[in-house]
Amino acid sequence: MNNGKRRTAIKTAITVLTVLVVALIFFSPKLVTLSQTKVSYTDFIQQVQSGEIDEVRIDESADKITYKTEGKTCYTNYPDYETFRQQLLMSGVDIEIDESGAFADMLPYLSLVIYALLIIVLFKMINPGGMYRIESSRTIETRFSDVAGMDEIKSDLRLLADMMQSPKYRESGARLPKGILLEGPPGNGKTLIARAFAGETGVNFIAVNASEFSSSLVGAGSSKVRKLFKSAKANKPCVIFIDEIDGVGSSRSSDNSAAGREMNTIITALLNEIDGFKSSDGIMVIAATNRAQALDEALVRPGRFDRRLVISYPDKETRIALVKLYTNGRRVDASVSFDLLANRTYGCSSSEIECIINEALITAVKNGHTVLTAQDFEQAIIQMTVKGSIKEHSNQNERDRRLTAYHEAGHAVAGHFLTNDEVTSVTIRPTTSGAGGFTLTETNDEVNYVSVEDILGKIKMQYGGRASEYLLGEKSLLKVSSSAQADIKEATKLAVSCVSIEQGVDYSLFSQKGEDEIMKAAKDILDSCWNDVVALLEEKWDYVEKTADLLIEKETLTKEDLAFLDNR
């Protein structure tokens, strides 16, 4: 059971327990009373005098007399005068004194104590501070050789590993950095390389997600931080890995709510603990984030996280290494080009590439292949790109097929003439993800920085489908279909990202006025791109029609089928 489900279950248990305890304290005496018949004291005396009662039970603490008559249990008030008991005995009535009254009086208070103890235990279960799994250096098998690419990152980490192992640096007066900040988009191996560092260094490893520091109890989060570092000191040499540190390490705010104060307390505790150990203690803190700009300045200043290593999307050489790593031990057909696969996976994270290889293995089994073929990889890439499989059977009518064909033809022609990417596949076969068709491209030129021209080209390609429908409908926006919704959304996101690069101003720093300026500038970019792509498709309409006709005929086109586009 994960933490979220466990907390939900425990909170439900607390609610049920509360209801039961309240019922026990307030309603159990009433439930007993409801099963008895109340009689007046006068009637009771008459029953005694007439010999209807043989025995009574006196509860002095409750001022109550209980007795049975005619098969039912009755009760009346206890008068508590000196001769009352003598009067009953003289009437032949036996008397029993109820001595459990004191315990009955204490029962509500005992219930409250038990309830309080149970609440404490349950909260401990919700917030089990200090319950961190410590991996022994003997059990960590991950090494830098298990991490594909990242040669420069591994080189920097090898130096730090050497500093932790060798006394020569300390003897020279050099200080071992206390912390390493791994920054970069998710899915690119930050956790993996942290484990590899611990394995390569031969030290114990404690991995924790920053969300585990958050707590519903005030002060519990900072207590967890202290327990974490106490565990590390008890198991040194040790590497502490804090994933998603921005979850608790974001810039401190003036928010005076309980949550805001607790967050500030956790950050302060984290800073104190990092400052509290010496470089010679053999402890290294590694933190990972994809939102480094959100971290508190005091956390990332020199003397705390001294090293900042950026782990970005893998370059071509790393992608080739990843494909080889994930296909190691599997039979791959000789016709499969790792270089081509690296081109086809441009922009993919390390985890996405691993998923593509896994999907290719599944596809190979499905297709009855004993080796991984280029077809298996192609289907896997399509599966990951469009987030679904191509449907075997389509129920599209001829109107929708024609509209989809022109839509995808517009994407293909705009992509070919207005971007630096190569169109590799176009289809009008719908997918299980809801797409009526799709157009795929690949990047042949490995670039580290995307230019404004590249972004504008991608926006124009996104608008290509809508522009083609617009021209097909004789320049009527009323003829444009809802199939372009996802394209418009993506184009808008690209335009927003382009604004600060193109204009050289970070409008996000100007609050709401800046946001308004961003949207205005983005709208201007989108209008300009729309006009450009409409003009291009008007000029190249013969290519659009030919591509659409081929799609209606074949349904799926490869880059070889689109070779006629090169006749510019």
Side-chain angles (χ1 to χ4, degrees):
M1 183 183 293
N2 60 35
N3 289 339
K5 291 182 178 179
R6 182 179 67 182
R7 292 184 181 187
T8 301
I10 292 175
K11 287 177 181 177
T12 302
I14 290 175
T15 303
V16 173
L17 182 62
T18 302
V19 172
L20 290 176
V21 170
V22 170
L24 175 65
I25 295 172
F26 294 102
F27 297 110
S28 57
K30 296 181 180 180
L31 290 175
V32 173
T33 302
L34 286 173
S35 65
Q36 301 172 348
T37 303
K38 184 176 183 179
V39 298
S40 67
Y41 181 73
T42 303
D43 291 341
F44 167 71
I45 292 298
Q46 289 177 355
Q47 290 173 340
V48 169
Q49 293 173 348
S50 63
E52 297 178 25
I53 302 175
D54 297 324
E55 182 181 19
V56 298
R57 186 182 187 90
I58 299 177
D59 183 354
E60 295 181 341
S61 65
D63 290 332
K64 180 179 176 182
I65 301 172
T66 307
Y67 63 95
K68 288 186 178 181
T69 181
E70 297 181 355
K72 60 182 180 180
T73 302
C74 302
Y75 73 96
T76 189
N77 296 330
Y78 176 53
D80 194 19
Y81 56 85
E82 292 182 1
T83 61
F84 174 72
R85 296 187 188 183
Q86 183 180 2
Q87 180 182 346
L88 290 178
L89 292 172
M90 291 177 64
S91 300
V93 178
D94 294 332
I95 299 173
E96 181 180 350
I97 304 299
D98 187 355
E99 298 179 351
S100 64
F103 177 78
D105 288 342
M106 293 175 61
L107 181 60
Y109 302 102
L110 289 173
S111 299
L112 287 173
V113 171
I114 294 171
Y115 175 64
L117 291 173
L118 287 173
I119 290 293
I120 292 172
V121 171
L122 290 171
F123 269 119
K124 283 287 185 182
M125 294 172 65
I126 296 176
N127 303 291
M131 302 292 285
Y132 308 112
R133 189 161 84 82
I134 302 172
E135 292 187 64
S136 170
S137 57
R138 296 185 298 274
T139 62
I140 301 175
E141 299 179 354
T142 310
R143 299 292 185 270
F144 285 144
S145 57
D146 298 312
V147 181
M150 301 190 202
D151 293 335
E152 295 80 7
I153 301 290
K154 287 189 286 189
S155 177
D156 286 347
L157 292 176
R158 281 194 181 95
L159 174 61
L160 296 177
D162 188 34
M163 290 182 69
M164 287 191 73
Q165 294 171 317
S166 174
K168 63 184 180 181
Y169 294 97
R170 292 189 294 274
E171 292 170 357
S172 70
R175 178 180 61 82
L176 175 70
K178 289 185 175 183
I180 305 170
L181 182 64
L182 303 179
E183 175 192 354
N188 284 301
K190 294 188 289 293
T191 303
L192 176 65
I193 203 162
R195 283 181 57 83
F197 175 79
E200 200 78 26
T201 312
V203 299
N204 298 321
F205 185 69
I206 303 177
V208 60
N209 193 289
S211 62
E212 295 183 38
F213 294 131
S214 60
S215 172
S216 54
L217 295 177
V218 176
S222 55
S223 175
K224 290 181 181 182
V225 172
R226 289 189 291 270
K227 288 181 180 180
L228 170 63
F229 280 84
K230 184 177 180 180
S231 298
K233 291 173 184 176
N235 293 274
K236 63 182 182 182
C238 181
V239 167
I240 300 174
F241 176 67
I242 306 175
D243 198 12
E244 305 292 346
I245 193 173
D246 51 275
V248 294
S250 297
S251 297
R252 283 169 284 189
S253 66
S254 57
D255 181 8
N256 201 35
S257 65
R261 292 195 302 271
E262 175 67 2
M263 188 65 69
N264 291 343
T265 302
I266 292 173
I267 297 175
T268 302
L270 188 58
L271 296 175
N272 290 338
E273 291 300 324
I274 293 175
D275 290 340
F277 69 85
K278 300 177 182 178
S279 302
S280 58
D281 286 344
I283 298 175
M284 174 74 74
V285 183
I286 301 179
T289 181
N290 55 6
R291 297 174 60 243
Q293 71 279 1
L295 295 178
D296 193 271
E297 291 183 4
L299 195 64
V300 295
R301 72 158 175 80
R304 285 168 181 160
F305 285 98
D306 299 87
R307 298 294 178 93
R308 189 166 178 169
L309 304 177
V310 178
I311 301 178
S312 190
Y313 290 103
D315 57 21
K316 185 172 183 178
E317 288 185 4
T318 303
R319 294 198 300 276
I320 292 174
L322 284 168
V323 173
K324 289 181 178 179
L325 176 66
Y326 295 134
T327 56
N328 186 32
R330 278 88 172 178
R331 296 178 61 191
V332 181
D333 190 84
S335 63
V336 174
S337 168
F338 288 141
D339 187 80
L340 181 60
L341 282 176
N343 288 341
R344 297 285 280 111
T345 54
Y346 173 78
C348 292
S349 67
S350 300
S351 59
E352 286 175 326
I353 293 173
E354 190 276 333
C355 286
I356 288 172
I357 302 303
N358 184 64
E359 192 63 37
L361 291 167
I362 295 172
T363 304
V365 174
K366 177 184 174 183
N367 293 338
H369 298 160
T370 57
V371 296
L372 285 167
T373 67
Q375 179 189 0
D376 299 325
F377 283 111
E378 183 65 23
Q379 289 185 23
I381 291 170
I382 291 174
Q383 171 82 13
M384 288 299 299
T385 303
V386 302
K387 309 300 181 187
S389 303
I390 296 176
K391 291 182 179 180
E392 296 294 333
H393 305 287
S394 171
N395 58 358
Q396 280 187 325
N397 57 41
E398 287 305 312
R399 173 187 171 277
D400 287 347
R401 286 185 83 243
R402 182 170 182 267
L403 186 64
T404 303
Y406 272 90
H407 183 97
E408 297 305 330
H411 281 310
V413 174
H416 182 81
F417 288 101
L418 297 175
T419 73
N420 295 320
D421 298 340
E422 182 179 12
V423 180
T424 57
S425 179
V426 188
T427 184
I428 59 171
R429 294 179 64 183
T431 70
T432 55
S433 63
F438 56 85
T439 301
L440 300 181
T441 63
E442 71 177 39
T443 301
N444 293 321
D445 297 327
E446 194 76 14
V447 294
N448 293 322
Y449 303 105
V450 179
S451 67
V452 172
E453 181 183 13
D454 293 331
I455 299 175
L456 295 177
K458 292 182 183 298
I459 295 173
K460 293 170 186 177
M461 182 178 174
Q462 291 293 332
Y463 272 150
R466 185 172 185 264
S468 181
E469 292 182 24
Y470 170 71
L471 294 173
L472 181 65
E474 298 178 349
K475 297 185 178 182
S476 170
L477 287 174
L478 296 176
K479 299 294 181 68
V480 175
S481 73
S482 60
S483 62
Q485 282 183 338
D487 301 331
I488 294 170
K489 185 176 181 179
E490 182 62 26
T492 304
K493 289 163 67 175
L494 288 168
V496 169
S497 70
C498 185
V499 170
S500 60
I501 303 173
E502 184 183 43
Q503 299 196 12
V505 179
D506 186 356
Y507 287 109
S508 63
L509 300 177
F510 296 96
S511 301
Q512 187 58 49
K513 288 185 178 180
E515 293 295 326
D516 294 341
E517 193 64 35
I518 289 174
M519 298 315 300
K520 179 182 177 182
K523 179 66 166 57
D524 292 340
I525 290 172
L526 293 172
D527 289 343
S528 175
C529 288
W530 167 255
N531 292 331
D532 288 348
V533 74
V534 168
L536 180 278
L537 293 189
E538 271 190 305
E539 179 187 343
K540 308 290 184 183
W541 189 247
D542 289 345
Y543 289 118
V544 175
E545 288 187 321
K546 186 172 182 178
T547 303
D549 290 342
L550 284 172
L551 282 169
I552 293 171
E553 177 187 346
K554 295 185 174 183
E555 289 193 332
T556 300
L557 303 179
T558 64
K559 61 181 177 182
E560 288 76 17
D561 296 321
L562 296 170
F564 66 88
L565 293 176
D566 289 324
N567 300 323
R568 308 191 181 198

